PDB file of all heavy atoms in Angstrom:
ATOM      1  N   GLY A   8     111.795  94.040 104.988  1.00  0.00           N
ATOM      2  CA  GLY A   8     110.962  92.878 104.836  1.00  0.00           C
ATOM      3  C   GLY A   8     110.930  92.265 103.424  1.00  0.00           C
ATOM      4  O   GLY A   8     110.261  91.308 103.257  1.00  0.00           O
ATOM      5  N   GLY A   9     111.540  92.954 102.502  1.00  0.00           N
ATOM      6  CA  GLY A   9     111.558  92.519 101.115  1.00  0.00           C
ATOM      7  C   GLY A   9     112.330  91.229 100.949  1.00  0.00           C
ATOM      8  O   GLY A   9     113.047  90.742 101.886  1.00  0.00           O
ATOM      9  N   GLY A  10     112.248  90.610  99.794  1.00  0.00           N
ATOM     10  CA  GLY A  10     113.062  89.294  99.538  1.00  0.00           C
ATOM     11  C   GLY A  10     112.604  88.708  98.302  1.00  0.00           C
ATOM     12  O   GLY A  10     111.777  89.231  97.565  1.00  0.00           O
ATOM     13  N   SER A  11     113.099  87.478  98.142  1.00  0.00           N
ATOM     14  CA  SER A  11     112.813  86.667  96.951  1.00  0.00           C
ATOM     15  C   SER A  11     111.952  85.488  97.387  1.00  0.00           C
ATOM     16  O   SER A  11     112.410  84.771  98.291  1.00  0.00           O
ATOM     17  CB  SER A  11     114.064  86.207  96.295  1.00  0.00           C
ATOM     18  OG  SER A  11     114.883  87.339  95.755  1.00  0.00           O
ATOM     19  N   VAL A  12     110.835  85.347  96.818  1.00  0.00           N
ATOM     20  CA  VAL A  12     109.872  84.303  97.121  1.00  0.00           C
ATOM     21  C   VAL A  12     109.274  83.628  95.825  1.00  0.00           C
ATOM     22  O   VAL A  12     109.453  84.078  94.760  1.00  0.00           O
ATOM     23  CB  VAL A  12     108.782  84.780  98.026  1.00  0.00           C
ATOM     24  CG1 VAL A  12     109.337  85.290  99.347  1.00  0.00           C
ATOM     25  CG2 VAL A  12     107.876  85.815  97.321  1.00  0.00           C
ATOM     26  N   GLN A  13     108.685  82.556  96.132  1.00  0.00           N
ATOM     27  CA  GLN A  13     107.934  81.801  95.049  1.00  0.00           C
ATOM     28  C   GLN A  13     106.496  82.311  94.934  1.00  0.00           C
ATOM     29  O   GLN A  13     105.937  82.864  96.013  1.00  0.00           O
ATOM     30  CB  GLN A  13     107.901  80.324  95.360  1.00  0.00           C
ATOM     31  CG  GLN A  13     109.305  79.644  95.352  1.00  0.00           C
ATOM     32  CD  GLN A  13     109.909  79.602  94.052  1.00  0.00           C
ATOM     33  OE1 GLN A  13     109.234  79.309  93.074  1.00  0.00           O
ATOM     34  NE2 GLN A  13     111.234  79.788  93.924  1.00  0.00           N
ATOM     35  N   ALA A  14     105.903  82.196  93.752  1.00  0.00           N
ATOM     36  CA  ALA A  14     104.507  82.464  93.524  1.00  0.00           C
ATOM     37  C   ALA A  14     103.607  81.802  94.608  1.00  0.00           C
ATOM     38  O   ALA A  14     103.833  80.572  94.744  1.00  0.00           O
ATOM     39  CB  ALA A  14     104.149  82.230  92.170  1.00  0.00           C
ATOM     40  N   GLY A  15     102.691  82.499  95.196  1.00  0.00           N
ATOM     41  CA  GLY A  15     101.760  81.958  96.133  1.00  0.00           C
ATOM     42  C   GLY A  15     102.324  82.079  97.640  1.00  0.00           C
ATOM     43  O   GLY A  15     101.488  81.928  98.554  1.00  0.00           O
ATOM     44  N   ASP A  16     103.500  82.557  97.720  1.00  0.00           N
ATOM     45  CA  ASP A  16     104.041  82.814  99.116  1.00  0.00           C
ATOM     46  C   ASP A  16     103.598  84.185  99.684  1.00  0.00           C
ATOM     47  O   ASP A  16     102.923  84.888  98.911  1.00  0.00           O
ATOM     48  CB  ASP A  16     105.649  82.791  99.082  1.00  0.00           C
ATOM     49  CG  ASP A  16     106.212  81.438  98.925  1.00  0.00           C
ATOM     50  OD1 ASP A  16     105.399  80.442  99.104  1.00  0.00           O
ATOM     51  OD2 ASP A  16     107.435  81.155  98.679  1.00  0.00           O
ATOM     52  N   SER A  17     103.983  84.399 100.851  1.00  0.00           N
ATOM     53  CA  SER A  17     103.663  85.642 101.579  1.00  0.00           C
ATOM     54  C   SER A  17     104.871  86.402 101.977  1.00  0.00           C
ATOM     55  O   SER A  17     105.967  85.780 102.262  1.00  0.00           O
ATOM     56  CB  SER A  17     102.764  85.397 102.700  1.00  0.00           C
ATOM     57  OG  SER A  17     101.634  84.770 102.339  1.00  0.00           O
ATOM     58  N   LEU A  18     104.844  87.690 102.140  1.00  0.00           N
ATOM     59  CA  LEU A  18     105.799  88.591 102.690  1.00  0.00           C
ATOM     60  C   LEU A  18     105.126  89.637 103.507  1.00  0.00           C
ATOM     61  O   LEU A  18     104.010  90.039 103.148  1.00  0.00           O
ATOM     62  CB  LEU A  18     106.675  89.199 101.632  1.00  0.00           C
ATOM     63  CG  LEU A  18     107.857  88.454 101.107  1.00  0.00           C
ATOM     64  CD1 LEU A  18     108.536  89.192  99.921  1.00  0.00           C
ATOM     65  CD2 LEU A  18     108.908  88.022 101.967  1.00  0.00           C
ATOM     66  N   ARG A  19     105.847  90.223 104.558  1.00  0.00           N
ATOM     67  CA  ARG A  19     105.423  91.345 105.281  1.00  0.00           C
ATOM     68  C   ARG A  19     106.362  92.431 105.230  1.00  0.00           C
ATOM     69  O   ARG A  19     107.471  92.251 105.727  1.00  0.00           O
ATOM     70  CB  ARG A  19     105.099  90.830 106.738  1.00  0.00           C
ATOM     71  CG  ARG A  19     104.292  91.958 107.520  1.00  0.00           C
ATOM     72  CD  ARG A  19     104.392  91.599 108.921  1.00  0.00           C
ATOM     73  NE  ARG A  19     103.448  92.448 109.766  1.00  0.00           N
ATOM     74  CZ  ARG A  19     103.576  92.673 111.087  1.00  0.00           C
ATOM     75  NH1 ARG A  19     104.684  92.188 111.703  1.00  0.00           N
ATOM     76  NH2 ARG A  19     102.668  93.347 111.751  1.00  0.00           N
ATOM     77  N   MET A  83     101.463  90.827 102.389  1.00  0.00           N
ATOM     78  CA  MET A  83     101.300  90.539 101.025  1.00  0.00           C
ATOM     79  C   MET A  83     101.136  89.006 101.006  1.00  0.00           C
ATOM     80  O   MET A  83     102.089  88.223 101.241  1.00  0.00           O
ATOM     81  CB  MET A  83     102.426  90.943 100.144  1.00  0.00           C
ATOM     82  CG  MET A  83     102.756  92.513 100.295  1.00  0.00           C
ATOM     83  SD  MET A  83     103.984  93.062  99.162  1.00  0.00           S
ATOM     84  CE  MET A  83     105.339  92.131  99.827  1.00  0.00           C
ATOM     85  N   LEU A  86     101.324  85.927  96.556  1.00  0.00           N
ATOM     86  CA  LEU A  86     102.128  86.821  95.644  1.00  0.00           C
ATOM     87  C   LEU A  86     102.179  86.192  94.311  1.00  0.00           C
ATOM     88  O   LEU A  86     102.254  85.009  94.155  1.00  0.00           O
ATOM     89  CB  LEU A  86     103.587  86.995  96.286  1.00  0.00           C
ATOM     90  CG  LEU A  86     103.618  87.975  97.399  1.00  0.00           C
ATOM     91  CD1 LEU A  86     104.830  87.773  98.237  1.00  0.00           C
ATOM     92  CD2 LEU A  86     103.553  89.414  96.860  1.00  0.00           C
ATOM     93  N   LYS A  87     102.328  87.097  93.290  1.00  0.00           N
ATOM     94  CA  LYS A  87     102.327  86.689  91.925  1.00  0.00           C
ATOM     95  C   LYS A  87     103.584  87.301  91.367  1.00  0.00           C
ATOM     96  O   LYS A  87     104.152  88.321  91.864  1.00  0.00           O
ATOM     97  CB  LYS A  87     101.198  87.319  91.157  1.00  0.00           C
ATOM     98  CG  LYS A  87      99.827  86.881  91.706  1.00  0.00           C
ATOM     99  CD  LYS A  87      98.666  87.573  91.001  1.00  0.00           C
ATOM    100  CE  LYS A  87      97.308  87.164  91.541  1.00  0.00           C
ATOM    101  NZ  LYS A  87      96.237  87.833  90.859  1.00  0.00           N
ATOM    102  N   PRO A  88     104.190  86.771  90.145  1.00  0.00           N
ATOM    103  CA  PRO A  88     105.307  87.328  89.543  1.00  0.00           C
ATOM    104  C   PRO A  88     105.143  88.776  89.213  1.00  0.00           C
ATOM    105  O   PRO A  88     106.074  89.561  89.248  1.00  0.00           O
ATOM    106  CB  PRO A  88     105.442  86.471  88.305  1.00  0.00           C
ATOM    107  CG  PRO A  88     104.902  85.059  88.764  1.00  0.00           C
ATOM    108  CD  PRO A  88     103.741  85.415  89.660  1.00  0.00           C
ATOM    109  N   ASP A  90     103.824  90.987  90.937  1.00  0.00           N
ATOM    110  CA  ASP A  90     104.001  91.813  92.048  1.00  0.00           C
ATOM    111  C   ASP A  90     105.526  92.174  92.368  1.00  0.00           C
ATOM    112  O   ASP A  90     105.867  92.963  93.250  1.00  0.00           O
ATOM    113  CB  ASP A  90     103.592  91.149  93.367  1.00  0.00           C
ATOM    114  CG  ASP A  90     102.064  90.830  93.408  1.00  0.00           C
ATOM    115  OD1 ASP A  90     101.368  91.703  92.981  1.00  0.00           O
ATOM    116  OD2 ASP A  90     101.672  89.779  93.786  1.00  0.00           O
ATOM    117  N   THR A  91     106.417  91.613  91.505  1.00  0.00           N
ATOM    118  CA  THR A  91     107.821  91.950  91.536  1.00  0.00           C
ATOM    119  C   THR A  91     108.120  93.412  91.236  1.00  0.00           C
ATOM    120  O   THR A  91     107.642  94.005  90.177  1.00  0.00           O
ATOM    121  CB  THR A  91     108.607  91.075  90.532  1.00  0.00           C
ATOM    122  OG1 THR A  91     108.528  89.692  90.865  1.00  0.00           O
ATOM    123  CG2 THR A  91     110.041  91.457  90.508  1.00  0.00           C
ATOM    124  N   GLN A 118     113.201  95.644  97.893  1.00  0.00           N
ATOM    125  CA  GLN A 118     112.908  94.912  96.716  1.00  0.00           C
ATOM    126  C   GLN A 118     112.086  93.561  97.011  1.00  0.00           C
ATOM    127  O   GLN A 118     112.413  92.919  97.975  1.00  0.00           O
ATOM    128  CB  GLN A 118     114.251  94.496  96.062  1.00  0.00           C
ATOM    129  CG  GLN A 118     114.051  93.688  94.807  1.00  0.00           C
ATOM    130  CD  GLN A 118     113.421  94.393  93.688  1.00  0.00           C
ATOM    131  OE1 GLN A 118     113.638  95.656  93.499  1.00  0.00           O
ATOM    132  NE2 GLN A 118     112.634  93.707  92.866  1.00  0.00           N
ATOM    133  N   VAL A 119     111.134  93.328  96.308  1.00  0.00           N
ATOM    134  CA  VAL A 119     110.279  92.162  96.287  1.00  0.00           C
ATOM    135  C   VAL A 119     110.394  91.519  95.042  1.00  0.00           C
ATOM    136  O   VAL A 119     110.158  92.109  93.905  1.00  0.00           O
ATOM    137  CB  VAL A 119     108.828  92.389  96.687  1.00  0.00           C
ATOM    138  CG1 VAL A 119     108.038  91.192  96.519  1.00  0.00           C
ATOM    139  CG2 VAL A 119     108.781  93.058  98.018  1.00  0.00           C
ATOM    140  N   THR A 120     110.806  90.263  94.934  1.00  0.00           N
ATOM    141  CA  THR A 120     111.004  89.417  93.733  1.00  0.00           C
ATOM    142  C   THR A 120     110.123  88.142  93.911  1.00  0.00           C
ATOM    143  O   THR A 120     110.407  87.417  94.869  1.00  0.00           O
ATOM    144  CB  THR A 120     112.455  89.155  93.344  1.00  0.00           C
ATOM    145  OG1 THR A 120     113.146  90.342  93.255  1.00  0.00           O
ATOM    146  CG2 THR A 120     112.500  88.372  92.052  1.00  0.00           C
ATOM    147  N   VAL A 121     109.246  87.944  92.986  1.00  0.00           N
ATOM    148  CA  VAL A 121     108.367  86.750  93.033  1.00  0.00           C
ATOM    149  C   VAL A 121     108.628  85.918  91.750  1.00  0.00           C
ATOM    150  O   VAL A 121     108.385  86.394  90.688  1.00  0.00           O
ATOM    151  CB  VAL A 121     106.851  87.143  93.191  1.00  0.00           C
ATOM    152  CG1 VAL A 121     106.070  85.868  93.257  1.00  0.00           C
ATOM    153  CG2 VAL A 121     106.631  88.168  94.289  1.00  0.00           C
ATOM    154  N   SER A 122     109.056  84.759  91.970  1.00  0.00           N
ATOM    155  CA  SER A 122     109.373  83.913  90.731  1.00  0.00           C
ATOM    156  C   SER A 122     108.154  82.825  90.681  1.00  0.00           C
ATOM    157  O   SER A 122     107.624  82.400  91.600  1.00  0.00           O
ATOM    158  CB  SER A 122     110.709  83.193  90.963  1.00  0.00           C
ATOM    159  OG  SER A 122     110.673  82.457  92.106  1.00  0.00           O
ATOM    160  N   SER A 123     107.964  82.460  89.442  1.00  0.00           N
ATOM    161  CA  SER A 123     106.864  81.531  89.095  1.00  0.00           C
ATOM    162  C   SER A 123     107.381  80.034  89.304  1.00  0.00           C
ATOM    163  O   SER A 123     108.539  79.768  89.421  1.00  0.00           O
ATOM    164  CB  SER A 123     106.361  81.738  87.651  1.00  0.00           C
ATOM    165  OG  SER A 123     107.513  81.573  86.733  1.00  0.00           O
TER     166      SER A 123
END
Side-chain angles (χ1 to χ4, degrees):
S11 296
V12 296
Q13 298 288 321
D16 286 350
S17 299
L18 278 175
R19 188 193 195 205
M83 305 186 296
L86 283 162
K87 303 176 181 180
D90 294 319
T91 295
Q118 180 67 33
V119 172
T120 303
V121 185
S122 56
S123 57

